[in-house]
Amino acid sequence: MSKLNLLYLTGSGESDFFCNLSRLYAQDSIQAIANNPNYDILIAYVTPDGNWKFPNSLSFEDIADSQPVSLPDAIALVITKNIDVVIPQMFCIPGMTHYRALFDVLKIPYIGNTPEVMAITANKAKAKAIVAAAGVKVPHGEVLRLGDIPTIAPKAVVKPATSDNSLGVSLVKDIQEYETALKEAFKYAEQVIVEEYIELGREVRCGIIEKEGELIGLPLEEYLVDSKNKPVRDYADKLKLGDDGNLHLTAKDGIKAWILDTKDPITEKVQAAAKKCHQALGCRHYSLFDFRIDPNGEPYFLEAGLYCSFSPKSVIPCMAKNAGISLDELLEIAIKETLK
């Protein structure tokens, strides 16, 4: 493979939180491939005011020292760099949609799913409807707007339709708890999903990658949940803000989450459901799906998280590593799929 110019698209035009989340993953990814002789790396960092920066690294110091430029000037600069492939690392809605669409207009290929697919899966209700139509089991549920009254009897899970990292998620065990749960969920979205609680069971995540026209199911990641003490995962199970101002991953300690042995009997069934989801949603290059496993071993689709940062800490690379696929090989596979 000849040397390629890679552009890491990072930051957020929406909030400091999403800027930090982008930094968390992208910085690790860049460090992991920094010594790979096949790549030259350029970093584009979008700030919440809509300006772009092109720092030497994603350290706070380098970002602060980098000169902000307007969108038109940023586009002009990117065009001169002869970028071969973009690695999107933006996790806000505009970052997942508008900024990817920009590179479609510029005819610069990027790894990962299209803006249309990202927009659909960012709305959990839409993603759920599509995979259900493809024959994948989903929890029975309803979508509410402010002022609507839920009709699903507890136990029920209440969650914003368009937020990630379990922000605003609650388990309602009694009908009196609905008011508080809905109030919390509506802080994060204009639509809220209320769905039946699937008894545990287990909760797992499945990654899919594309290679030479084939969908490959990766080893599953299982989460620490139990019906008494941790019936649903919340924000604290995923992220925390450290004293240094950095976000940290809390699910990578081997305690809250771990990679399953592929001989586990649930693996094949979940991988088959995940491949159906991948195809039904129109995914490309890779995909990632969460499933709730009921006491009878039946997987229920919960949501899609179509992200891969190519960081050693991110889920798909962790799964791939357990399948004997190194981070360098995983990135090379994704680049080949993108450029073909």
Side-chain angles (χ1 to χ4, degrees), residues 133-151:
V136 179
K137 287 187 173 68
V138 301
H140 171 64
E142 58 191 1
V143 179
L144 305 183
R145 291 187 176 273
L146 198 61
D148 291 344
I149 305 299
T151 63

Side-chain angles (χ1 to χ4, degrees), residues 38-263:
N38 294 318
Y39 309 128
D40 279 332
I41 297 171
L42 177 69
I43 301 170
Y45 183 84
V46 181
T47 54
D49 59 6
N51 284 320
W52 291 50
K53 293 186 171 188
F54 294 89
N56 293 323
S57 79
L58 286 172
S59 70
F60 286 122
E61 293 78 14
D62 280 352
I63 291 172
D65 290 343
S66 182
Q67 185 70 27
V69 297
S70 66
L71 175 60
D73 289 341
I75 292 172
L77 190 150
V78 167
I79 290 172
T80 67
K81 296 297 182 179
N82 297 316
I83 299 299
D84 293 297
V85 179
V86 177
I87 304 179
Q89 301 281 289
M90 299 177 75
F91 304 115
C92 57
I93 298 293
M96 295 188 295
T97 55
H98 301 163
Y99 286 86
R100 292 188 186 211
L102 171 62
F103 287 92
D104 283 328
V105 173
L106 296 176
K107 300 190 185 316
I108 301 175
Y110 52 88
I111 296 174
N113 291 282
T114 64
E116 295 84 0
V117 172
M118 296 302 288
I120 288 169
T121 56
N123 187 306
K124 296 177 177 64
K126 291 180 180 179
K128 186 176 162 183
I130 290 170
V131 302
V136 179
K137 287 187 173 68
V138 301
H140 171 64
E142 58 191 1
V143 179
L144 305 183
R145 291 187 176 273
L146 198 61
D148 291 344
I149 305 299
T151 63
I152 294 175
K155 295 179 179 177
V157 177
V158 176
K159 56 188 176 184
T162 55
S163 74
D164 289 316
N165 297 306
S166 293
L167 289 166
V169 175
S170 303
L171 174 62
V172 172
K173 299 177 182 177
D174 182 272
I175 198 166
Q176 304 300 324
E177 297 174 358
Y178 262 131
E179 183 179 356
T180 300
L182 289 170
K183 185 177 180 181
E184 180 64 18
F186 276 119
K187 289 179 182 178
Y188 300 99
E190 293 180 356
Q191 292 182 329
V192 166
I193 297 173
V194 178
E195 60 188 21
E196 64 175 337
Y197 171 76
I198 303 298
E199 291 290 349
L200 289 167
R202 306 160 75 177
E203 195 163 313
V204 298
R205 176 173 275 189
C206 182
I208 302 293
I209 61 172
E210 294 183 0
K211 183 180 180 182
E212 297 173 357
E214 181 185 358
L215 295 183
I216 299 172
L218 298 175
L220 307 184
E221 182 178 54
E222 182 163 12
Y223 299 122
L224 179 65
V225 286
D226 68 77
S227 55
K228 290 184 179 179
N229 300 315
K230 181 60 68 174
V232 295
R233 299 175 73 228
D234 57 26
Y235 178 81
D237 293 314
K238 301 180 181 182
L239 295 168
K240 68 176 180 180
L241 185 64
D243 294 335
D244 57 1
N246 284 305
L247 283 172
H248 298 276
L249 299 169
T250 58
K252 303 301 176 186
D253 55 7
I255 298 172
K256 290 185 172 68
W258 57 92
I259 302 296
L260 277 181
D261 189 318
T262 53
K263 295 178 183 177

